[in-house]
Every structure is written in structure tokens, then in C-alpha cells.
Amino acid sequence: MTIGENIQTIGERIRAAEQRFGREPGSVQLLAVSKKHPAAAIREAFAVGQRCFGENYVQEMTEKAAELTDTGIEWHFIGPIQSNKTKAIAATAQWVHSVDSLKVAQRLSAQKPASASAINVCLQVNISDEASKSGVEPSQVPELARQIALLPGLRLRGLMAIPAPEHEFERQRAVFAQVRLLQQDLNAQGFTLDTLSMGMTDDMEAAIAEGATIVRIGTAIFGCR
């Protein structure tokens, strides 16, 4: 199947899940994860209407963005963030899903180009408590959110999570439900978070059932890397 056909198939899965779980039609956005795929593949996806692309590696994102300046693509950075890479991220990405420290957020705030709009940021939550994963412990999220919400040039939008793999649907839902409840608790404290970035190819339906607003899909669109 072509990239365009794959995007259509994923779109149908998203719409079906929205309907199945009582979500508002069109409330879930597809983020095409294009890491390690060439700019030509991104152009192919763009040609069929895909506008938002996620990248995990800073240099790869900046190189592709330079090659694709004619498209007006919305770039989402979704990988681990090294503090010495924040300037390039701030100059390129409209969204950063993987903020997990005040230091990183402060650097993004300070290094955002003056002419650019506020950077939309999500806090990455280490919801499965995996030592190998980036992210904030759930108990630390409220205080970090309060600090980041005060920074100029950033707009705190929500939470991102990459749970440990689960193969049983209800177990997938249970983990995503923890992220949803954390967002609800934050909003009850006065935040106005509207984004849950969670769900990938193998667990997107469970994520949508628990309130995902952005699903991050790579392999099912672009194939294996």
C-alpha cells in the first residue's frame, strides 16, 4: 500500500474508534511520525492532506524542515530532549511533546525566536515508571506544570505518555486512564489543558477510548525503518 492509502486506513481506524467510544467526530488528530524516513516520504504524506509530523531527533528534524520549507508543515518534536539541543527545537518545532524538566522548559522559553508564536508544550509523564524512559513521575507533574505555565513563549497544552507495551486491550486502557485522570486533576486545579498525546499503532484504540486527542503513528504509515 502507498503512504496515502495507509493514511486513509489509519484515518478510518481513528474515526471508527471515535464513534465506538463516544468521542466527538474529528476530535482525535493524527500525528505522522516520520523519524528515519526521507523528506520525499513526508512530501507524499503531505500531498494527501497530512499536515502534522513528529520527529524524535533534532538534527533530522531541522534538516527535513529546511528541505520542506515550501510546505508549511507543523513540526512536533516528540523525542528525548538534551539541553544543548533546545535552541534548534525552539527554532523549528511548533509543538514539543516531551518536556520533562523545568530546565528544558526554561531554555525553550528563552530561545524561542521573538517572531514565532508560543510553542505548544506537553509534559511527558513516565506513567509506567520505567527507568529506561524519559518523563516526569506523576506525583511531580502538578508542581512542574505550575512552574512551566508561568514561562513566557510557551503554552502548556497537556500531557504525553509512552506506556510500557501491553497486549490486552483493557490493560492498555487502564494505563491511559491514569494519564486522563491526571489531566482532569490538573484542570480541577485551574489549568486548561486540552491535549492528551498518547497512543501509537498497536494501542491507539485504547488511547482514544481514554481521551487521546493526538495519536502518534509511524510504522503503519511509512512502513518499517
Side-chain angles (χ1 to χ4, degrees):
M1 295 177 68
T2 67
I3 288 173
E5 289 169 335
N6 291 339
I7 288 174
Q8 181 177 352
T9 298
I10 291 295
E12 290 168 356
R13 279 180 63 185
I14 292 172
R15 303 289 90 81
E18 287 174 341
Q19 183 174 21
R20 176 182 174 189
F21 299 109
R23 298 290 303 279
E24 189 74 22
S27 60
V28 181
Q29 179 184 16
L30 171 60
L31 180 63
V33 178
S34 46
K35 67 175 182 180
K36 295 191 176 179
H37 291 284
I42 296 175
R43 281 196 184 277
E44 189 175 338
F46 186 87
V48 298
Q50 181 63 31
R51 294 293 179 265
C52 303
F53 293 84
E55 290 285 339
N56 290 64
Y57 306 109
V58 178
Q59 183 174 346
E60 185 179 347
M61 177 178 69
T62 57
E63 289 174 354
K64 289 176 183 176
E67 189 172 342
L68 296 162
T69 52
D70 58 305
T71 61
I73 281 171
E74 182 177 274
W75 294 103
H76 293 233
F77 189 77
I78 60 175
I81 302 174
Q82 297 173 293
S83 58
N84 64 342
K85 303 287 188 179
T86 52
K87 185 174 183 179
I89 294 172
T92 306
Q94 290 79 43
W95 281 76
V96 181
H97 293 228
S98 45
V99 173
D100 64 358
S101 73
L102 180 59
K103 179 182 179 181
V104 161
Q106 288 172 330
R107 289 178 66 87
L108 289 171
S109 172
Q111 294 170 332
K112 182 191 76 69
S115 60
S117 300
I119 302 170
N120 299 290
V121 299
C122 293
L123 301 185
Q124 181 172 349
V125 184
N126 190 345
I127 201 65
S128 299
D129 193 26
E130 294 178 275
S132 62
K133 290 258 180 80
S134 302
V136 188
E137 292 181 12
S139 63
Q140 298 175 344
V141 168
E143 179 57 30
L144 182 58
R146 279 189 283 273
Q147 294 172 319
I148 289 176
L150 299 175
L151 295 175
L154 304 183
R155 183 183 175 196
L156 182 60
R157 296 294 297 269
L159 305 176
M160 185 269 257
I162 309 173
E166 294 282 0
H167 301 293
E168 202 273 319
F169 181 75
E170 290 304 327
R171 290 175 65 86
Q172 292 174 348
R173 282 197 67 165
V175 179
F176 288 129
Q178 295 177 47
V179 187
R180 173 178 54 79
L181 291 172
L182 183 55
Q183 182 199 40
Q184 289 179 353
D185 288 344
L186 290 167
N187 284 342
Q189 296 174 39
F191 292 92
T192 55
L193 306 182
D194 61 4
T195 300
L196 286 176
S197 170
M198 59 188 195
M200 296 185 283
T201 300
D202 294 332
D203 57 11
M204 58 180 280
E205 280 84 4
I208 291 170
E210 293 299 335
T213 59
I214 297 176
V215 292
R216 307 181 306 271
I217 310 297
T219 303
I221 293 174
F222 296 105
C224 296
R225 299 174 183 88

